Amino acid sequence: MPHDPDRYRREAAALERLTRRHGGERYRQLNAYGGPYLTVTPIEAVNLVISALHRDTGDVTGEDLDDALLLLGRAREELDSHELELVDRARLQHGRTWKQVGEAVAGDADRRTAQTRYSRLRDRTPGYAPPAPHQEAATT
């Protein structure tokens, strides 16, 4: 994907628009006191638009759809990062096997499938740092 130096600004504007239009009372209250405008996350923004579409009240605009589509890439990046962290914590801190991870993620007990998926997620998630293995408290 080509580098788009303006993408961050466009995504920030999309998040603010969708939060203002669909964020509800919670965000109106949070932002009532000035300061930097607090927005939903990209995943939440996409979900807000989908929820509004399902309510079928006619309050979703073409710009809302454009904004949600723009934010899908960022939402996917967030989900990828969350999945990596959950898999790492399941394995490192709770002793889950790759077979168990595969069953949980995709209903597939094949450890290779789970390992391959994890590897691909790591490749497309630069900057991700796995959590440290869980250290049991030393007893004296």
Side-chain angles (χ1 to χ4, degrees):
M1 183 154 87
H3 177 67
D4 179 359
D6 197 39
R7 187 170 183 95
Y8 178 81
R9 183 196 58 75
R10 291 185 299 119
E11 288 174 343
L15 285 170
E16 184 169 337
R17 279 190 300 271
L18 290 175
T19 301
R20 286 181 188 279
R21 286 192 35 75
H22 302 285
E25 187 60 31
R26 176 176 174 232
Y27 281 92
R28 278 189 281 286
Q29 289 177 352
L30 285 172
N31 288 300
Y33 304 103
Y37 194 83
L38 301 174
T39 66
V40 295
T41 67
I43 295 168
E44 291 170 318
V46 171
N47 282 333
L48 286 172
V49 173
I50 293 295
S51 293
L53 285 170
H54 290 177
R55 284 191 307 273
D56 198 22
T57 58
D59 62 343
V60 176
T61 66
E63 185 177 40
D64 291 341
L65 295 172
D66 293 342
D67 286 345
L69 288 167
L70 171 68
L71 294 167
L72 276 176
R74 184 74 66 211
R76 277 190 195 97
E77 290 171 10
E78 284 184 20
L79 285 172
D80 288 349
S81 181
H82 293 329
E83 183 174 344
L84 285 170
E85 183 173 359
L86 290 170
V87 168
D88 280 334
R89 290 195 184 271
R91 294 208 11 90
L92 296 171
Q93 296 177 353
H94 297 278
R96 299 303 189 267
T97 65
W98 281 112
K99 179 181 176 185
Q100 290 170 315
V101 168
E103 289 171 349
V105 170
D108 185 352
D110 180 15
R111 70 172 177 76
R112 285 192 184 134
T113 302
Q115 288 173 304
T116 299
R117 177 174 175 77
Y118 178 85
S119 178
R120 288 183 179 148
L121 283 172
R122 286 294 304 264
D123 288 347
R124 69 176 189 237
T125 311
Y128 172 76
H134 185 64
Q135 300 291 325
E136 291 294 325
T139 57
T140 56

